């Protein structure tokens, strides 16, 4: 298996280097075909890297950075004034082809701006989109995009998201003709705003896509579609709402299970079932939103991700690199555009 290199922004995220370094060390130990460029403060990184064997350390480059993009930094400020930040250096490694992909848990707006500026979009793509997997019924997954990269979208942008999401579903989910749907307030043709109706009309005219029409919010989790397309404003709210609901349910189950002796007994009996359900919907394994449509691979981890969750983001980035996702999206976009000429 060929070697791949991943650049990591060690200083990003709510919990900083301890969580990200823990995930990086796990990936280094488990995947001998992965090499790493660790971007951040060497004084923090070196003591952790010294825990590795000599062979493992040989697969790691530490790139010292004097600056950090904080969660409060405006994207424009990070772009203009923090040119030695760990986030920028990680993306630059992808830009120069030194790395096959990069991952950051840092400031989302800054990451989007830096990636867009340094890597540029593929020809035929106006703006990149954030996309992530979500669980559905029947042990399947669905791709939802955009998750917040672009809160204001055009009809053409939604069309591009559909094409890119279809490619990603083919590659990452093994779907030969992924079912693509538009998120709407109803399934009927008369429902929806002008933007959604125009996008629907456009998508129906493209035979290269397996477009199935509208889906409502509750259909995201029913395995009705493989790809659900929406604008970044709606997509971000849908994502955060579902994450909040999952946390609420987990919290309530834990609270009710400890309310009295009989509840604790029932909870112990049901524990294997509860663990099985939780393991399937655990947000950690869906951590890692890909910024697709760029000429390089960038994966955004949740800022508050645990070490296990960040590891999933690392693995997601490496899978995309191995499958050459940007190259496949470029080919699909060009094919669909040519069909419309």
């Amino acid at each position: 298996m060929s070697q791949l290199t991943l650049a990591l922004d060690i200083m990003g995220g709510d919990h900083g280097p301890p969580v990200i370094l823990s995930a990086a060390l796990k990936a280094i130990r488990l995947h001998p075909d992965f090499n790493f460029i660790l971007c951040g403060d060497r004084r923090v990184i070196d003591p952790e890297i010294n825990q590795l064997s000599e062979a493992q350390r040989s697969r790691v480059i530490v790139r010292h950075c004097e600056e950090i993009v904080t969660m409060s930094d405006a994207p424009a400020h990070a772009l203009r004034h923090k040119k030695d930040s760990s986030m920028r250096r990680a993306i630059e490694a992808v830009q120069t082809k030194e790395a096959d992909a990069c991952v950051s848990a840092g400031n989302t707006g800054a990451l989007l701006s830096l990636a867009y500026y340094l890597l540029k979009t593929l020809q035929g793509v106006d703006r990149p989109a954030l996309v992530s997997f979500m669980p559905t019924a029947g042990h399947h997954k669905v791709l939802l995009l955009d998750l917040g990269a672009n809160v204001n979208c055009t009809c053409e942008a939604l069309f591009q998201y559909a094409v890119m999401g279809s490619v990603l579903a083919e590659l990452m989910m093994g779907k030969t003709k992924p079912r693509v749907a538009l998120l709407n307030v109803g399934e009927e043709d008369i429902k929806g705003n002008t933007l959604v109706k125009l996008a629907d009309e456009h998508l129906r005219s493209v035979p290269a896509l397996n477009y199935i029409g509208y889906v409502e919010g509750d259909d995201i989790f029913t395995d009705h579609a493989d790809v659900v397309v929406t604008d970044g404003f709606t997509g971000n709210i849908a994502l955060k709402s579902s994450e909040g609901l999952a946390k609420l349910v987990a919290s309530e189950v834990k609270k009710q299970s400890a309310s009295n002796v009989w509840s604790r007994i029932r909870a112990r009996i049901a524990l294997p079932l509860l663990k099985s359900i939780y393991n399937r919907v655990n947000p950690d394994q869906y951590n890692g939103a890909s910024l697709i449509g760029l000429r390089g691979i960038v994966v955004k981890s949740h800022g508050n991700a645990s070490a296990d969750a960040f590891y999933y983001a690392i693995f997601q980035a490496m899978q995309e690199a191995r499958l050459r996702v940007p190259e496949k999206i470029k080919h699909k976009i060009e094919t669909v555009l040519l069909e419309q000429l």
Side-chain angles (χ1 to χ4, degrees):
M1 192 173 288
S2 61
Q3 295 284 310
L4 293 172
T5 300
L6 179 66
L8 296 182
D9 169 16
I10 297 298
M11 312 307 290
D14 298 344
H15 308 301
V19 163
I20 298 170
L21 283 169
S22 177
L25 293 180
K26 178 180 177 180
I28 291 165
R29 291 180 175 122
L30 291 179
H31 302 282
D33 54 325
F34 290 1
N35 300 320
F36 289 84
I37 301 172
L38 306 184
C39 303
D41 188 339
R42 178 180 288 277
R43 292 162 295 188
V44 174
I45 299 171
D46 283 346
E48 299 299 320
I49 297 305
N50 289 337
Q51 300 176 30
L52 299 171
S53 68
E54 185 176 345
Q56 290 167 342
R57 286 199 303 272
S58 70
R59 295 190 283 116
V60 178
I61 295 172
V62 177
R63 185 144 300 156
H64 181 70
C65 306
E66 290 290 346
E67 296 175 316
I68 301 171
V69 174
T70 69
M71 291 300 189
S72 60
D73 280 334
H77 179 79
L79 182 63
R80 295 171 187 162
H81 302 292
K82 293 200 171 178
K83 297 187 177 181
D84 192 33
S85 67
S86 54
M87 180 184 288
R88 181 169 184 136
R89 293 303 184 204
I91 299 172
E92 284 178 342
V94 178
Q95 179 191 30
T96 60
K97 308 297 184 184
E98 190 177 3
D100 298 288
C102 74
V103 181
S104 174
N107 182 320
T108 302
L111 184 70
L112 295 176
S113 296
L114 284 166
Y116 182 68
Y117 175 74
L118 293 169
L119 299 178
K120 310 298 189 250
T121 55
L122 295 166
Q123 186 174 1
V125 176
D126 296 328
R127 299 284 297 181
L130 272 171
V131 57
S132 185
F133 290 103
M134 299 183 75
T136 71
H139 295 271
H140 297 133
K141 296 178 181 178
V142 62
L143 283 168
L144 180 63
L145 73 163
D146 176 30
L147 298 177
N150 306 286
V151 295
N152 296 309
C153 286
T154 63
C155 165
E156 185 63 27
L158 293 179
F159 166 72
Q160 292 166 11
Y161 297 166
V163 175
M164 294 190 292
S166 179
V167 173
L168 202 58
E170 288 178 14
L171 295 173
M172 306 291 286
M173 299 163 64
K175 302 286 185 177
T176 52
K177 287 183 68 83
R179 299 161 297 168
V180 180
L182 273 176
L183 189 62
N184 197 6
V185 295
E187 295 184 8
E188 299 86 354
D189 291 341
I190 61 171
K191 291 190 175 179
N193 57 27
T194 303
L195 172 65
V196 170
K197 289 178 179 178
L198 287 173
D200 173 71
E201 184 179 344
H202 194 171
L203 287 167
R204 289 185 186 280
S205 69
V206 182
L209 292 175
N210 182 19
Y211 176 63
I212 62 172
Y214 298 141
V215 294
E216 297 182 71
D218 56 346
D219 282 327
I220 294 173
F221 308 99
T222 61
D223 193 31
H224 191 78
D226 302 306
V227 180
V228 175
V229 177
T230 186
D231 62 273
F233 184 87
T234 306
N236 188 267
I237 290 175
L239 174 68
K240 296 295 174 61
S241 297
S242 64
E243 289 175 346
L245 179 59
K247 290 176 182 176
L248 172 64
V249 171
S251 174
E252 285 299 307
V253 168
K254 186 175 180 180
K255 187 191 302 181
Q256 293 298 323
S257 299
S259 61
N260 56 59
V261 173
W262 291 113
S263 293
R264 288 195 290 271
I265 292 173
R266 288 195 296 268
R268 185 173 292 276
I269 294 171
L271 189 60
L273 176 61
L274 293 174
K275 279 187 174 180
S276 175
I277 294 171
Y278 179 75
N279 288 337
R280 203 171 74 76
V281 301
N282 181 4
D284 281 2
Q285 65 182 306
Y286 300 100
N287 181 47
S290 303
L291 192 55
I292 60 172
L294 295 169
R295 300 182 185 187
I297 297 168
V298 177
V299 172
K300 170 68 175 74
S301 165
H302 272 305
N304 64 353
S306 64
D308 285 341
F310 196 88
Y311 170 79
Y312 279 111
I314 289 174
F315 194 73
Q316 167 85 8
M318 286 310 205
Q319 279 188 303
E320 290 186 25
R322 199 171 296 288
L323 292 168
R324 306 195 312 277
V325 167
E327 181 182 324
K328 302 292 178 59
I329 288 176
K330 176 178 181 292
H331 175 73
K332 184 77 169 185
I333 286 282
E334 289 174 348
T335 301
V336 170
L337 291 178
L338 284 173
E339 288 180 351
Q340 293 183 293
L341 294 178

